[in-house]
Amino acid sequence: MSDLIVTNGRIFTSDPDRPWADSLAVTEGKIAAVGSLEEVRAAVSADAEVVDLDGRFAMPGLVDVHAHLGLGGRQLAFELPVLPTDDVAAIAAKVSQWQAGLEPGQWVVGGIVGSTVMDDLTHDDLRTLDDAAAGHPVLLRDDTMHNRWVNSAAFEILGISEESPDPEGGTFVRDGNGLHNGVLTELACSAAEAAVLESIDDVAGFHAKAIGTAVQTLNSYGVTAVQESATMDYAVRTLHDLDEAGELTAHVVASMPSKPFLEEGITGEELYRVGDENHSTHLHPTFAKYVLDGVPMTRTSALLTPYQCHHHDDDPNFSGEALWDSDELEASLLALADRGLNAKLHATGDGAVRMILDAVETVRRERGWDSKFHIAHVEYVHDDDLARFAQLQVVPDASPYLWFPSVMQESMAKQVSAETFARSWPLRRLLESGALVSCGSDWPCAAPTPDPWTGLATLITRANPDPAVPGQLNASEALTVEQAIATFTSNPAQAMGLGEVTGMLRAGMSADFIILDRDLFAADPARLHETAVLKTYFEGNLVYEA
């Protein structure tokens, strides 16, 4: 590791004690000094390499509090790209072109299918997908990653017929005529994902390529720390092996599912033991993952008020169902605290959010304040529960590009009540109440890359960067530039247990920093999504250069 002096530009540190600096020094992979050029020269050797910013803007490496490295890396390394805006015809055309390059019987795997497409698929659309696939089995993921669209060849492999009952925790969706349309929701997806993996010869090599691609891609967007948010045993082991080989160029916090998830594999205590065995320098298997509900688009979020009804057989009082009952959740979180693990809890409905806050209140009363709790994704939080995040030290984990006006929001607006929808993503009020709002991409949900600059921009504008998509979503909740940067740097680092390691440029912390093509404080907020990373440094080493 070379000694470095970084100077001759504007350096934002994200350190509230010293937000700006002229220069910084790096030695042995850590920041040795922050201040004037004269101050930092004294902290390194005389032959230190000078990184000349040439007037550019530098800041801490970004921290993504919620991403799925396995799924995202697979998508980039191996799979068919589909846009959330593609209709059935466009998807079929892409499947047809992709399958032409495959071996007989090989799966067509890809995404992202938009929620508005998934909403309205029919049995005829399944036939269209069958024709395009020309006999190949197909698995396409939607923009929530909670649902899949498969074809008849996949159904045959999975042993699913028109008479098959829905599996526990999921559904084989049918159209208005009672026929399968190929959509699998929630836990119905796990067998299909397992079938895809079973068809791969070198599974270990497949995982290493996927996760390695994911980390390199994060680095290219300026991300130097990430919380992997549904970490199965293969991912824990792969990340550990990459780290031991010196190839893990980000701090990674793992979140291990407490119950069966969308991917098949061991969960709960058995998986936690794998985590215990695989701690390494940059891998921290310190969180469990809980899924309290589904997503609004399939009416599987647990809400406090009824869904809007669109079918004659709907229960007008149906508000969704949580996947845990309150006593079970409370007991599990108490046991988790005793085990020394933290929890990341998926909750898209305000009812599920309240259930978690109630359970955490018991944990705080009976076990104290050591455990960390994140609630992802805080789309909908009742006003009465906003202050409880700070009071209970619960982290709101928000994924900004899930919520700027988009096809996903169009689908949500059709399902949840107008009053609930109007309260979407109350991030400013959460911040002002003292909550540690932390942001992540939730990649590959909603977007094909983990580009954080789109998310940061929409925190400030509450609008889609594409001028063809009008409107703002709950504009009163917009953040300032400095607040938005904190939600992508110091806040998530602290939330993940890495607050003394990364997320700020402060003496003694990891030398994780990035150089950008623009000053975020001087740029037009409407164009912040165009921000490009010129260089990314992890522990003082250059790991990405444009």
Side-chain angles (χ1 to χ4, degrees), residues 10-309:
R10 265 170 61 84
I11 302 175
F12 181 71
T13 68
S14 217
D15 180 352
D17 294 335
R18 187 172 192 168
W20 295 95
D22 295 327
S23 306
L24 61 87
V26 176
T27 185
E28 295 296 323
K30 295 187 181 297
I31 296 170
V34 178
S36 68
L37 181 57
E38 292 72 23
E39 289 171 325
V40 305
R41 278 194 188 282
V44 291
S45 59
D47 61 351
E49 176 188 345
V50 175
V51 177
D52 187 347
L53 295 175
D54 193 23
R56 299 287 193 187
F57 180 86
M59 64 178 288
L62 301 185
V63 182
D64 186 328
V65 81
H66 195 124
H68 299 277
L69 303 185
L71 289 173
R74 287 181 211 171
Q75 204 166 74
L76 291 180
F78 300 111
E79 296 174 1
L80 166 66
V82 174
L83 295 175
T85 50
D86 287 343
D87 60 14
V88 171
I91 293 168
K94 290 181 176 181
V95 168
S96 179
Q97 184 176 10
W98 189 265
Q99 62 82 19
L102 300 180
E103 298 294 325
Q106 190 174 349
W107 281 80
V108 176
V109 182
I112 305 165
V113 181
S115 290
T116 48
V117 175
M118 298 285 280
D119 286 343
D120 300 319
L121 291 172
T122 67
H123 188 72
D124 288 341
D125 295 319
L126 173 60
R127 293 299 178 210
T128 298
L129 186 61
D130 289 343
D131 291 343
H136 291 271
V138 176
L139 180 147
L140 303 176
R141 304 184 183 98
D142 77 338
D143 50 14
T144 71
M145 292 293 146
H146 279 245
N147 310 302
R148 307 290 186 266
W149 188 25
V150 302
N151 69 342
S152 298
F155 273 153
E156 187 172 343
I157 291 170
L158 297 171
I160 298 170
S161 70
E162 289 289 354
E163 290 73 41
S164 297
D166 289 337
E168 184 177 358
T171 53
F172 306 137
V173 179
R174 300 172 183 273
D175 65 11
N177 295 317
L179 298 174
H180 285 148
N181 63 7
V183 174
L184 312 177
T185 72
E186 303 295 340
L187 294 186
C189 303
S190 58
E193 289 284 0
V196 171
L197 285 180
E198 287 169 6
S199 72
I200 296 168
D201 292 332
D202 179 11
V203 176
F206 174 83
H207 290 320
K209 173 69 172 175
I211 291 177
T213 298
V215 173
Q216 291 164 11
T217 301
L218 287 166
N219 290 162
S220 76
Y221 286 107
V223 176
T224 53
V226 61
Q227 184 153 358
E228 214 293 330
S229 291
T231 321
M232 306 304 289
D233 60 311
Y234 75 81
V236 173
R237 293 187 175 98
T238 301
L239 285 161
H240 175 268
D241 290 347
L242 288 171
D243 200 15
E244 292 297 295
E247 297 172 4
L248 187 57
T249 54
H251 310 280
V252 181
V253 172
S255 312
M256 301 167 287
S258 59
K259 279 186 174 183
F261 195 59
L262 302 178
E263 296 183 79
E264 287 191 347
I266 61 173
T267 57
E269 185 58 39
E270 190 177 0
L271 179 54
Y272 304 157
R273 286 196 291 270
V274 174
D276 293 341
E277 297 163 1
N278 283 278
H279 284 259
S280 58
T281 303
H282 302 115
L283 174 62
H284 312 277
T286 53
F287 276 74
K289 174 68 177 282
Y290 287 65
V291 179
L292 269 290
D293 63 358
V295 290
M297 294 75 89
T298 54
R299 300 156 70 88
T300 51
S301 294
L303 299 174
L304 292 172
T305 53
Y307 282 93
Q308 299 187 67
C309 295

Side-chain angles (χ1 to χ4, degrees), residues 317-338:
N317 297 312
F318 179 70
S319 58
E321 297 175 353
L323 300 175
W324 294 68
D325 67 50
S326 55
D327 291 341
E328 179 192 21
L329 178 64
E330 186 177 289
S332 183
L333 292 183
L334 286 167
L336 194 74
D338 291 338

Side-chain angles (χ1 to χ4, degrees), residues 273-504:
R273 286 196 291 270
V274 174
D276 293 341
E277 297 163 1
N278 283 278
H279 284 259
S280 58
T281 303
H282 302 115
L283 174 62
H284 312 277
T286 53
F287 276 74
K289 174 68 177 282
Y290 287 65
V291 179
L292 269 290
D293 63 358
V295 290
M297 294 75 89
T298 54
R299 300 156 70 88
T300 51
S301 294
L303 299 174
L304 292 172
T305 53
Y307 282 93
Q308 299 187 67
C309 295
H310 299 282
H311 307 293
H312 70 277
D313 57 348
D314 279 341
D315 175 359
N317 297 312
F318 179 70
S319 58
E321 297 175 353
L323 300 175
W324 294 68
D325 67 50
S326 55
D327 291 341
E328 179 192 21
L329 178 64
E330 186 177 289
S332 183
L333 292 183
L334 286 167
L336 194 74
D338 291 338
R339 202 190 188 287
L341 286 175
N342 310 300
K344 183 177 283 289
L345 302 106
H346 168 107
T348 59
D350 50 9
V353 167
R354 180 169 293 177
M355 178 187 289
I356 294 169
L357 293 171
D358 289 346
V360 172
E361 189 168 343
T362 299
V363 176
R364 294 303 189 210
R365 184 173 59 250
E366 299 188 12
R367 297 293 192 274
W369 300 87
D370 290 343
S371 299
K372 297 181 183 298
F373 296 99
H374 300 184
I375 299 182
H377 303 269
V378 295
E379 276 102 332
Y380 307 119
V381 180
H382 195 279
D383 288 350
D384 293 347
D385 291 321
L386 288 171
R388 301 178 71 196
F389 281 82
Q391 292 165 358
L392 296 169
Q393 295 184 15
V394 173
V395 174
D397 159 356
S399 301
Y401 27 27
L402 298 185
W403 55 254
F404 63 71
S406 65
V407 295
M408 185 181 286
Q409 289 301 319
E410 290 175 27
S411 181
M412 289 183 185
K414 290 192 295 185
Q415 306 297 343
V416 304
S417 71
E419 180 184 2
T420 299
F421 188 78
R423 296 199 310 264
S424 299
W425 304 91
L427 302 186
R428 180 186 59 79
R429 286 184 293 162
L430 282 165
L431 266 178
E432 290 177 352
S433 73
L436 194 69
V437 175
S438 302
C439 287
S441 60
D442 199 16
W443 176 55
C445 299
T449 71
D451 178 356
W453 306 105
T454 301
L456 188 139
T458 58
L459 286 172
I460 299 163
T461 66
R462 302 289 295 203
N464 193 314
D466 184 350
V469 183
Q472 291 178 289
L473 186 65
N474 201 1
S476 65
E477 297 290 346
L479 305 186
T480 66
V481 173
E482 190 162 355
Q483 287 173 328
I485 291 174
T487 70
F488 270 104
T489 53
S490 54
N491 286 10
Q494 185 178 337
M496 291 156 52
L498 301 178
E500 300 300 316
V501 176
T502 192
M504 291 189 288

